Amino acid sequence: MRSKKSLYFAIISVAIFCVLAVVVGLLIFYFVSPDIKETPENVEVQVVDGEYYVITDFNAQYDYRFIIEQNIDGVYVKVSIVLEEHNMTNLSKNTDIILNAGNVFRIKVAYVGENGRNGNFSDYYDWTVVLPLDTAVPTFENNVLSWNNVLNATSYSLKVIYPTGQIQDITNLQTTSFDFSTFDAGDYKVYVTANGNEYFTPSTSLIFEFSVR
């Protein structure tokens, strides 16, 4: 009976020792791991294949923690914390943030070690969402050039190439058509550009050829 109790005691003692060893190992790993002395210096948003990415300095030793804050009614609110293995994170696929034109964000990044702790964060990178306008699609009928209404466009511009090679810029059009009836007969080429406010980048159509009769 005594030997059986001794066996139970030994088993329990070994189990407790193993648990304590694991706990001590984790504490050593977490608290004794070397500090991260590097700090990302460059943070920016780039467009890659039509999607928005935050990109920072590459360092093969670490993972990356991105903190994204949005300016809401004059106050920055933390909207997303992302841990990445690579030095970039896709904003377009982040369901925590809304990339509406004019929305204002600030973003900072830190390197992350194997223990999950991060080093110092970079300075904030301020970013305002600027979206490209859709492209106008021109058509031509009865000497009138027309194009579709582009959402969020505030005006349109034409770059007209005459049969002689002369180029004319026609700007600040508030309609989606232009009458060429007064132009000399011949073969023309034109680019149609949709313009927006400061939160939209202009878009220009492919070259369009037509004939004035």
Side-chain angles (χ1 to χ4, degrees):
M1 190 73 173
R2 181 176 297 174
S3 61
K4 187 176 291 188
K5 287 184 178 179
S6 298
L7 178 62
Y8 288 155
F9 179 78
I11 293 173
I12 292 172
S13 298
V14 170
I16 292 173
F17 176 79
C18 291
V19 171
L20 290 175
V22 171
V23 170
V24 171
L26 289 174
L27 290 174
I28 292 174
F29 176 74
Y30 188 80
F31 289 106
V32 180
S33 296
D35 292 334
I36 299 174
K37 297 181 180 180
E38 293 86 350
T39 302
E41 295 183 359
N42 301 296
V43 181
E44 62 179 340
V45 174
Q46 295 183 9
V47 180
V48 180
D49 293 332
E51 296 186 335
Y52 293 87
Y53 288 81
V54 183
I55 300 177
T56 190
D57 301 326
F58 175 76
N59 191 314
Q61 301 179 70
Y62 306 116
D63 291 338
Y64 308 82
R65 179 167 283 117
F66 296 82
I67 292 183
I68 304 165
E69 301 176 4
Q70 181 178 353
N71 189 316
I72 301 175
D73 296 330
V75 177
Y76 279 98
V77 178
K78 191 178 298 181
V79 291
S80 185
I81 301 175
V82 185
L83 181 64
E84 297 280 9
E85 294 182 358
H86 305 288
N87 64 320
M88 63 175 62
T89 186
N90 190 326
L91 296 177
S92 298
K93 293 184 178 178
N94 188 327
T95 57
D96 292 330
I97 62 178
I98 300 174
L99 299 182
N100 288 339
N103 281 0
V104 178
F105 296 89
R106 67 181 186 183
I107 303 164
K108 62 181 180 179
V109 189
Y111 294 126
V112 180
E114 293 181 357
N115 57 6
R117 297 173 66 188
N118 52 256
N120 293 326
F121 279 93
S122 65
D123 292 335
Y124 276 110
Y125 172 78
D126 297 312
W127 178 60
T128 300
V129 181
V130 178
L131 300 177
L133 291 171
D134 291 335
T135 302
V137 179
T139 59
F140 190 77
E141 186 176 3
N142 297 327
N143 286 338
V144 175
L145 180 75
S146 302
W147 55 92
N148 57 300
N149 182 57
V150 175
L151 182 65
N152 296 313
T154 56
S155 67
Y156 301 92
S157 304
L158 305 180
K159 182 177 289 293
V160 182
I161 304 173
Y162 284 70
T164 60
Q166 174 190 350
I167 297 176
Q168 179 185 4
D169 290 316
I170 302 172
T171 61
N172 200 32
L173 295 173
Q174 300 298 313
T175 63
T176 56
S177 63
F178 187 83
D179 191 347
F180 280 86
S181 297
T182 60
F183 282 56
D184 293 337
D187 297 327
Y188 291 77
K189 299 176 183 177
V190 68
Y191 294 95
V192 180
T193 297
N195 305 297
N197 62 26
E198 59 184 315
Y199 303 124
F200 293 93
T201 55
S203 65
T204 300
S205 70
L206 298 174
I207 192 167
F208 181 75
E209 301 182 14
F210 59 96
S211 299
V212 174
R213 303 300 181 201

